[in-house]
Amino acid sequence: MRTVEALVPLKLTLFGEHAIVYGEPAIAMAISESMKVTVKESDRTIISSSSLHIGNIRVNLQDMRVESDQISKALSFVIEALNYFEEKRPALINIESSVDPSVGLGTSAAVIVGVIAAYSKFLGYDFTNLEIAKISRNVEKKVQGLGSRMDTFTTSLGGILYFPRGSENVERLNSLPEIASGYVKRTATTAEILRRVKTVKENGREFNEILKLIGLVVEDARDALDKMDVETLGQLMYINHGLLMSLGVTSPILDELVSTARNIGLPGCKMSGGGGGGSAVCLKSPKAELLLESRGFKLVKSELNRTGVTIKEINS
């Protein structure tokens, strides 16, 4: 039986979340936590996942709809990724994540990247990682509407990536201090928070100035990374979090964590990702990991992944 596996790294946003949606720069990194998408030959298409809590879902290949509207919404990223291909072959598609879904680590993007990577290989295509990133970005836009290319590109390409202002280019950075990260359950989805930010934009003239300030922080952070100036990098993390708080995308648990980190002298800490709970990222130290755990955050493996999505074909 022919089987294709795609292993997709998850990601952390170091600087610039939300502002990148409106053309400002950002910096993100792929990490050692991962998602595995497996595609196997079958006489019908079934999508399953124990870690994402979607059970075993049969899919009608004629119209790519599932049996339940509620489940269809949860699987919209998978369905749209499969819909990219004009050719369809029935397959068992299994998706397993090393972390909980919707916690600011790019699991939605990883689902798209993994399905595009594994299913394309299953159909006989040989896409590059950059091609997978671009296709996955288009799929994400169709489903979510708002958003940026950051998550799909970071999980596809790997490494620590700088996304320039007002450009579709991406640059790979070389320097990175050690990072500690963890997550808690979110109180809102990324799409909901993006809509919340859009409302702030429409109702406040200060919005554009806040975005510009975040963009300046990202540019300074890039310089600090080039110089490995950890002290400046940490200060910029605190500033970035404060600006995100002014956009209304943080949460009480994240704000308390970052405030405590600053009060006890940790070199840098901020929210990471969409916000509303979810992930936090700090410059690594024993105190940082202890603080994250003491506030109920589940620690994640934050070592840098340099390869991006990898594909393995198994013939048995």
Side-chain angles (χ1 to χ4, degrees):
M1 178 181 291
R2 185 162 171 259
T3 303
V4 178
E5 289 182 354
L7 191 65
V8 190
L10 301 182
K11 66 88 206 179
L12 289 167
T13 309
L14 300 183
F15 294 92
E17 49 270 272
H18 289 287
I20 188 176
V21 176
Y22 298 92
E24 294 296 330
I27 299 172
M29 64 176 286
I31 60 174
S32 47
E33 296 284 1
S34 63
M35 179 175 292
K36 183 166 72 172
V37 177
T38 305
V39 178
K40 294 183 179 180
E41 289 181 335
S42 176
D43 60 354
R44 64 182 185 271
T45 293
I46 296 179
I47 302 167
S48 66
S49 174
S50 59
S51 57
L52 300 184
H53 313 299
I54 62 177
N56 294 293
I57 311 302
R58 295 182 183 181
V59 179
N60 185 328
L61 280 175
Q62 293 298 115
D63 55 14
M64 295 307 296
R65 290 191 300 179
V66 296
E67 298 166 336
S68 158
D69 288 341
Q70 183 177 359
I71 293 172
S72 182
K73 184 178 180 181
L75 292 175
S76 56
F77 287 112
V78 181
I79 301 301
E80 195 60 49
L82 294 176
N83 270 333
Y84 170 80
F85 302 94
E86 291 185 5
E87 178 187 1
K88 304 287 194 307
R89 291 184 198 167
L92 300 177
I93 301 172
N94 181 253
I95 304 167
E96 299 301 341
S97 172
S98 62
V99 304
D100 294 334
S102 190
V103 292
L105 296 174
T107 51
S108 295
V111 166
I112 301 169
V113 169
V115 172
I116 292 293
Y119 197 65
S120 65
K121 189 71 172 178
F122 180 73
L123 295 177
Y125 296 97
D126 192 18
F127 291 148
T128 66
N129 283 38
L130 182 57
E131 287 172 326
I132 291 169
K134 290 178 177 179
I135 294 167
S136 299
R137 168 58 183 145
N138 288 331
V139 169
E140 183 181 48
K141 283 173 69 176
K142 283 186 178 180
V143 176
Q144 196 160 283
L146 290 169
S148 76
R149 68 194 189 285
M150 179 171 60
D151 287 10
T152 49
F153 272 65
T154 304
T155 55
S156 295
L157 301 178
I160 174 168
L161 303 180
Y162 167 75
F163 297 86
R165 176 183 288 103
S167 169
E168 288 300 309
N169 295 328
V170 60
E171 300 174 20
R172 192 176 294 271
L173 305 182
N174 295 317
S175 300
L176 178 70
E178 289 189 313
I179 295 295
S181 181
Y183 66 86
V184 292
K185 187 176 179 180
R186 296 177 70 185
T187 58
T189 67
T190 298
E192 289 168 344
I193 295 169
L194 287 169
R195 286 193 290 269
R196 189 187 303 170
V197 173
K198 187 178 180 182
T199 300
V200 175
K201 177 180 183 294
E202 293 168 349
N203 294 336
R205 63 181 183 178
E206 299 84 6
F207 180 82
N208 289 333
E209 298 305 316
I210 294 171
L211 292 189
K212 289 178 185 177
L213 286 172
I214 292 175
L216 291 174
V217 167
V218 175
E219 300 289 3
D220 288 347
R222 185 193 176 191
D223 290 341
L225 281 168
D226 286 342
K227 299 172 185 175
M228 276 302 289
D229 183 349
V230 177
E231 181 178 355
T232 298
L233 198 67
Q235 292 173 354
L236 291 169
M237 292 173 78
Y238 286 121
I239 294 169
N240 197 170
H241 183 88
L243 292 168
L244 291 168
M245 187 191 305
S246 69
L247 291 179
V249 301
T250 64
S251 66
I253 191 169
L254 287 169
D255 294 338
E256 195 276 336
L257 173 81
V258 173
S259 177
T260 302
R262 193 161 204 167
N263 287 337
I264 66 175
L266 293 188
C269 195
K270 64 180 284 292
M271 65 163 268
S272 177
S279 296
V281 59
C282 307
L283 295 178
K284 191 169 185 177
S285 70
K287 280 187 178 180
E289 293 186 338
L290 284 172
L291 176 61
L292 285 164
E293 289 187 302
S294 73
R295 297 305 189 269
F297 284 73
K298 183 177 180 179
L299 295 180
V300 301
K301 293 181 288 184
S302 303
E303 294 81 12
L304 180 64
N305 172 288
R306 298 183 184 275
T307 61
V309 58
T310 57
I311 307 169
K312 179 171 65 174
E313 187 164 357
I314 304 168
N315 294 307
S316 59

PDB file of all heavy atoms in Angstrom, residues 11 60 85 131 172 261 306:
ATOM      1  N   LYS A  11       5.217  26.965  14.318  1.00  0.00           N
ATOM      2  CA  LYS A  11       5.963  28.230  14.290  1.00  0.00           C
ATOM      3  C   LYS A  11       5.642  29.111  15.492  1.00  0.00           C
ATOM      4  O   LYS A  11       4.613  28.962  16.168  1.00  0.00           O
ATOM      5  CB  LYS A  11       5.680  28.979  12.992  1.00  0.00           C
ATOM      6  CG  LYS A  11       4.241  29.465  12.828  1.00  0.00           C
ATOM      7  CD  LYS A  11       3.984  30.833  13.422  1.00  0.00           C
ATOM      8  CE  LYS A  11       2.542  31.022  13.801  1.00  0.00           C
ATOM      9  NZ  LYS A  11       2.273  32.356  14.407  1.00  0.00           N
ATOM     10  N   ASN A  60     -17.186  13.057   0.350  1.00  0.00           N
ATOM     11  CA  ASN A  60     -17.675  12.778  -0.996  1.00  0.00           C
ATOM     12  C   ASN A  60     -16.752  13.470  -1.995  1.00  0.00           C
ATOM     13  O   ASN A  60     -16.672  14.696  -2.031  1.00  0.00           O
ATOM     14  CB  ASN A  60     -19.111  13.314  -1.140  1.00  0.00           C
ATOM     15  CG  ASN A  60     -19.727  12.943  -2.476  1.00  0.00           C
ATOM     16  OD1 ASN A  60     -19.040  12.830  -3.476  1.00  0.00           O
ATOM     17  ND2 ASN A  60     -21.041  12.751  -2.476  1.00  0.00           N
ATOM     18  N   PHE A  85      -6.596  20.651  -6.098  1.00  0.00           N
ATOM     19  CA  PHE A  85      -6.226  19.706  -7.145  1.00  0.00           C
ATOM     20  C   PHE A  85      -7.453  19.320  -7.970  1.00  0.00           C
ATOM     21  O   PHE A  85      -8.456  18.857  -7.425  1.00  0.00           O
ATOM     22  CB  PHE A  85      -5.609  18.448  -6.527  1.00  0.00           C
ATOM     23  CG  PHE A  85      -4.385  18.734  -5.692  1.00  0.00           C
ATOM     24  CD1 PHE A  85      -4.491  18.921  -4.320  1.00  0.00           C
ATOM     25  CD2 PHE A  85      -3.140  18.842  -6.289  1.00  0.00           C
ATOM     26  CE1 PHE A  85      -3.375  19.191  -3.556  1.00  0.00           C
ATOM     27  CE2 PHE A  85      -2.013  19.114  -5.525  1.00  0.00           C
ATOM     28  CZ  PHE A  85      -2.123  19.294  -4.161  1.00  0.00           C
ATOM     29  N   GLU A 131       6.912  26.469  -3.627  1.00  0.00           N
ATOM     30  CA  GLU A 131       5.648  26.260  -4.327  1.00  0.00           C
ATOM     31  C   GLU A 131       4.556  25.829  -3.346  1.00  0.00           C
ATOM     32  O   GLU A 131       3.411  26.294  -3.424  1.00  0.00           O
ATOM     33  CB  GLU A 131       5.818  25.215  -5.426  1.00  0.00           C
ATOM     34  CG  GLU A 131       6.605  25.708  -6.631  1.00  0.00           C
ATOM     35  CD  GLU A 131       6.923  24.618  -7.626  1.00  0.00           C
ATOM     36  OE1 GLU A 131       7.142  23.453  -7.204  1.00  0.00           O
ATOM     37  OE2 GLU A 131       6.961  24.909  -8.829  1.00  0.00           O
ATOM     38  N   ARG A 172      15.716  35.007   4.861  1.00  0.00           N
ATOM     39  CA  ARG A 172      16.125  34.085   5.928  1.00  0.00           C
ATOM     40  C   ARG A 172      17.188  34.752   6.796  1.00  0.00           C
ATOM     41  O   ARG A 172      18.191  35.255   6.290  1.00  0.00           O
ATOM     42  CB  ARG A 172      16.653  32.795   5.317  1.00  0.00           C
ATOM     43  CG  ARG A 172      16.835  31.659   6.309  1.00  0.00           C
ATOM     44  CD  ARG A 172      17.279  30.397   5.598  1.00  0.00           C
ATOM     45  NE  ARG A 172      16.247  29.886   4.711  1.00  0.00           N
ATOM     46  CZ  ARG A 172      15.290  29.032   5.088  1.00  0.00           C
ATOM     47  NH1 ARG A 172      15.239  28.610   6.337  1.00  0.00           N
ATOM     48  NH2 ARG A 172      14.407  28.610   4.206  1.00  0.00           N
ATOM     49  N   ALA A 261       7.020  38.915  34.178  1.00  0.00           N
ATOM     50  CA  ALA A 261       8.346  38.673  33.609  1.00  0.00           C
ATOM     51  C   ALA A 261       9.214  39.917  33.706  1.00  0.00           C
ATOM     52  O   ALA A 261      10.400  39.856  34.072  1.00  0.00           O
ATOM     53  CB  ALA A 261       8.207  38.230  32.153  1.00  0.00           C
ATOM     54  N   ARG A 306      15.112  24.126  10.676  1.00  0.00           N
ATOM     55  CA  ARG A 306      15.704  24.795   9.522  1.00  0.00           C
ATOM     56  C   ARG A 306      15.218  24.237   8.185  1.00  0.00           C
ATOM     57  O   ARG A 306      15.475  24.820   7.141  1.00  0.00           O
ATOM     58  CB  ARG A 306      17.238  24.692   9.588  1.00  0.00           C
ATOM     59  CG  ARG A 306      17.842  25.364  10.813  1.00  0.00           C
ATOM     60  CD  ARG A 306      19.360  25.289  10.803  1.00  0.00           C
ATOM     61  NE  ARG A 306      19.923  25.848  12.026  1.00  0.00           N
ATOM     62  CZ  ARG A 306      20.174  27.141  12.209  1.00  0.00           C
ATOM     63  NH1 ARG A 306      19.911  28.004  11.237  1.00  0.00           N
ATOM     64  NH2 ARG A 306      20.686  27.574  13.341  1.00  0.00           N
TER      65      ARG A 306
END
